[in-house]
Amino acid sequence: MKKSHWKAQHKWLGLILSFFLLMFCLSGLVLNHPSLFAGINVSRSLLPPRYHYKNWNSGLLRGSVSWHGKVLIYGNNGIWATDSMARSFTNFNRGLPQGVDGQLIRGMVVTADGKLFAASQYKLYCYDSKKGWIDTGLDNGDERLNDIATQGKDSLIITGRSHIFVARAPYRHFETITLQKGTDDDGRVSLFSTLWQLHSGALFGLVGKLIVDAIAIILIILVVTGLLFWFLPKVHYHGPAIFQSFKLHNKLGRTTIVLTLFIAISGWMLRPPGLIAIASGRIPAIPFSSMASKNPWNDQLRALRYDSTCNDYILSTSKGFYTLRSLRDQLVPVTNQPPVSVMGINVLHERGDGRWIVGSFSGLYLWDRKDNYIADVFTDDQEGNMIPISAHAITGLCTDFKGGDVIVDYNDGTTRFPMPTFMETLPMSLRLVALEIHTGRIYPFGFSGMLYIFLVGIAIVWCLWSGYKRRKR
C-alpha cells in the first residue's frame, strides 16, 4: 500500500477515534485503581435517562431481611428500611462510607442472637443501635466479598472471591479458610481470567498495573499530539512547540507500538466475538503471576450455603456448583445443576426440603437437590431447554414482604410496590460510570456495547498500525 494511503487512513481514523480512545484510557485508569476513587459519586441526573432507576431496577434492590419489626432492603445504593407492606422508605446507611462504591451491599443476615450483619463488596459491617454500621475488622485485605450466610445457631460465613471467612458467636474473630481443590481440578487456570488480568496489569500486581497505566498515558499523549498536528497545520513547522509535539508523536508511536497494540488487542478479545474463542479455554498459570496462586480457588468463589436437608455445603464458583461435607473436605462438582451466568450468581435462597432458588442473568430456577430436578421458575420447563441466555436477568429476590416473593429483574425491576421518586437519581460511583464508559454501554449508539468493542477495537488496532507504517524515514 502506498505511503499516502497509510497516511490518509491514520489521519481519519485518528480523528474519528480520538474521543473514544481518550475515554478508554481515562476510564481504564479509574478502573485500575478503584480505591483511589471510591469516595467520588456521580449524580444520575447527569447521566442519560436510561441510567435513572425505575421500578427498583439496575441492582437497586437485591434482597431483604426482617429485623426488629422492619424489613431492610439492600442493593447498589446501600440499605433502606421499610415495613412488610413497603409503605415508606427511610435511609439506613448511617456508618457506611459516603462513597456509593462502599455502599454496594452483597448480602445481609440476622444471626440467631439477633445481631445484624451486612457484607459490602469491600467490608463486613455489624449494626449498632447507637453508632450505626461498624466495621467488624474482617481481615480480607484487597479481596472482595461476595456473599454472607449463617449456619446453625452460631456460625457466620462470609464468602470472598478466594477464601471463606468463618466466625462463631460473639463474632469477634474470623478464621480464614482456603478450600481444597475440586476432584475435577486439572491444575490449569482460566484463559479468560488470565487475559482479563493481563489487560489491566493486575496479573503482575501493582507493578503490572503501573505499566498498563503508563501505556494509557502514552496513548493519551499520542491522541493529544496527533490532534495538535492535524488541527494546527499552518504553524506546524513554524511553531517550535507544535514541531516538538509532532516529533514526540512520531517517536513515541514507533517505539511503543508493541505495547499499544497489546493493550488494544487484549481489550478487544475480552468481548464477543473474541470472547467466544477464549471463554472456555484453560491454560497453565503464567509463572510468578497472580494466577500462579497456591490457592486452587483464587478469584473463583461466589457463594456458599449449607443445605440442612442434604447435610452438606453447596458452593457456587466461576466453574459451577460444588458440594462438600465440611469446609476441610475436597470439593465434588455437581453433575446436574442450574444455569448461572458468567456474570455470577445473584440469588441462592433455600426453600427447605432440599430445594433452592437460583437466580442470575441466566434466569431463575428451582433446584430440587433431593429429587434431583431443575425447573425454570417462569416456564416450569424441566426438559433441559434452559439455555444460558434468558429473557429474565435476575438480580434479586425478597421473601419478607406480604403477598409472596418479590422477584427483581435487572432491566425491568419489579412493580410489586412503588419505588420512591427520590431514588430515581441516587448517585452512581465513579467506578461504575467508568465501567459503563469503558464497555461503551453509555453511548447512545444504535448498536450494542458488544458490537461497539468489536468495531472500535479493530479500528484502533488499524489506526495504530497505519501510523507505524507511515512513519517518517
Side-chain angles (χ1 to χ4, degrees):
M1 190 182 294
K2 292 182 179 180
K3 186 177 179 181
S4 59
H5 292 168
W6 289 117
K7 179 179 179 180
Q9 290 178 28
H10 184 64
K11 171 185 177 179
W12 293 111
L13 276 176
L15 291 175
I16 294 169
L17 295 170
S18 57
F19 170 78
F20 301 106
L21 195 49
L22 279 174
M23 292 299 102
F24 272 129
C25 294
L26 294 174
S27 60
L29 289 169
V30 172
L31 292 172
N32 235 13
H33 304 280
S35 59
L36 294 179
F37 304 95
I40 303 177
N41 299 332
V42 178
S43 172
R44 289 176 188 265
S45 62
L46 303 175
L47 300 174
R50 66 180 179 277
Y51 285 100
H52 297 182
Y53 285 128
K54 184 179 180 182
N55 294 330
W56 305 99
N57 68 344
S58 299
L60 177 60
L61 177 56
R62 290 177 175 267
S64 65
V65 293
S66 290
W67 182 74
H68 288 190
K70 301 183 180 72
V71 174
L72 304 177
I73 62 171
Y74 58 87
N76 285 0
N77 281 78
I79 305 164
W80 304 83
T82 183
D83 57 28
S84 59
M85 298 294 290
R87 284 175 285 208
S88 64
F89 294 86
T90 56
N91 192 306
F92 205 77
N93 293 317
R94 184 166 58 101
L96 293 180
Q98 292 299 310
V100 176
D101 210 35
Q103 296 178 4
L104 195 161
I105 305 300
R106 304 296 306 180
M108 295 181 68
V109 295
V110 180
T111 59
D113 58 0
K115 288 187 177 179
L116 178 65
F117 288 90
S120 77
Q121 60 177 336
Y122 300 119
K123 294 181 180 296
L124 175 68
Y125 297 93
C126 181
Y127 190 75
D128 181 273
S129 56
K130 295 180 180 178
K131 300 178 181 178
W133 292 105
I134 300 173
D135 184 356
T136 60
L138 173 65
D139 185 16
N140 57 308
D142 294 331
E143 181 178 347
R144 292 195 182 186
L145 306 180
N146 278 337
D147 187 57
I148 182 171
T150 57
Q151 186 219 335
K153 295 182 178 180
D154 66 345
S155 291
L156 182 64
I157 301 174
I158 314 299
T159 305
R161 300 279 291 191
S162 305
H163 299 87
I164 303 297
F165 305 95
V166 180
R168 290 176 175 80
Y171 314 110
R172 292 174 185 166
H173 304 287
F174 285 84
E175 179 187 6
T176 301
I177 298 175
T178 302
L179 296 174
Q180 288 194 38
K181 63 183 181 181
T183 55
D184 61 344
D185 186 86
D186 57 4
R188 293 173 171 249
V189 296
S190 163
L191 174 58
F192 171 74
S193 297
T194 301
L195 192 60
W196 182 288
Q197 292 195 34
L198 194 59
H199 180 69
S200 68
L203 193 65
F204 297 102
L206 180 59
V207 173
K209 285 188 175 185
L210 292 176
I211 291 173
V212 170
D213 290 347
I215 299 174
I217 293 169
I218 287 170
L219 286 169
I220 292 172
I221 293 172
L222 289 175
V223 169
V224 172
T225 53
L227 290 175
L228 285 174
F229 173 64
W230 289 115
F231 281 112
L232 301 171
K234 292 182 180 180
V235 296
H236 170 56
Y237 286 109
H238 301 288
I242 302 301
F243 179 61
Q244 290 302 320
S245 71
F246 175 63
K247 287 177 65 178
L248 176 63
H249 184 87
N250 273 346
K251 186 173 182 180
L252 197 58
R254 288 198 305 270
T255 55
T256 64
I257 184 66
V258 173
L259 294 175
T260 52
L261 280 176
F262 151 74
I263 206 72
I265 294 172
S266 61
W268 181 81
M269 288 295 293
L270 292 173
R271 302 287 287 182
L275 174 61
I276 298 171
I278 66 169
S280 57
R282 296 185 67 77
I283 61 172
I286 298 174
F288 309 109
S289 72
S290 61
M291 298 297 289
S293 170
K294 293 181 180 179
N295 180 356
W297 297 103
N298 182 49
D299 201 38
Q300 297 181 67
L301 306 183
R302 300 297 179 262
L304 178 71
R305 303 294 170 85
Y306 188 76
D307 189 326
S308 52
T309 301
C310 300
N311 297 316
D312 63 359
Y313 290 94
I314 52 175
L315 175 70
S316 173
T317 75
S318 58
K319 293 167 59 179
F321 284 97
Y322 288 77
T323 62
L324 59 163
R325 288 290 175 184
S326 79
L327 297 181
R328 306 296 180 185
D329 288 348
Q330 190 171 24
L331 280 72
V332 180
V334 176
T335 356
N336 186 28
Q337 56 181 270
V340 172
S341 164
V342 293
M343 302 296 289
I345 193 167
N346 293 321
V347 173
L348 187 56
H349 176 71
E350 186 175 14
R351 283 290 193 213
D353 201 25
R355 296 178 303 159
W356 292 80
I357 297 292
V358 179
S360 71
F361 278 16
S362 291
L364 192 68
Y365 300 92
L366 174 63
W367 182 17
D368 192 320
R369 300 187 63 220
K370 187 178 177 182
D371 294 331
N372 195 29
Y373 77 85
I374 299 164
D376 188 306
V377 168
F378 298 102
T379 65
D380 199 32
D381 180 14
Q382 300 179 30
E383 302 301 319
N385 298 320
M386 295 168 285
I387 59 174
I389 300 174
S390 171
H392 305 282
I394 303 301
T395 53
L397 175 71
C398 300
T399 60
D400 300 286
F401 291 100
K402 289 184 178 177
D405 293 347
V406 178
I407 299 170
V408 190
D409 185 277
Y410 181 81
N411 299 305
D412 301 325
T414 178
T415 54
R416 275 284 302 279
F417 45 83
M419 184 191 79
T421 53
F422 75 85
M423 289 188 179
E424 291 181 6
T425 54
L426 286 172
M428 194 173 184
S429 71
L430 180 61
R431 181 185 65 84
L432 287 181
V433 173
L435 182 62
E436 294 301 296
I437 293 172
H438 207 70
T439 56
R441 290 191 293 258
I442 200 167
Y443 301 121
F445 295 142
F447 51 86
S448 68
M450 176 179 68
L451 197 56
Y452 164 78
I453 295 294
F454 176 64
L455 295 177
V456 176
I458 290 177
I460 288 174
V461 169
W462 193 252
C463 180
L464 291 168
W465 183 245
S466 61
Y468 178 76
K469 292 294 289 184
R470 60 91 46 200
R471 68 193 186 279
K472 279 195 172 288
R473 296 176 180 175

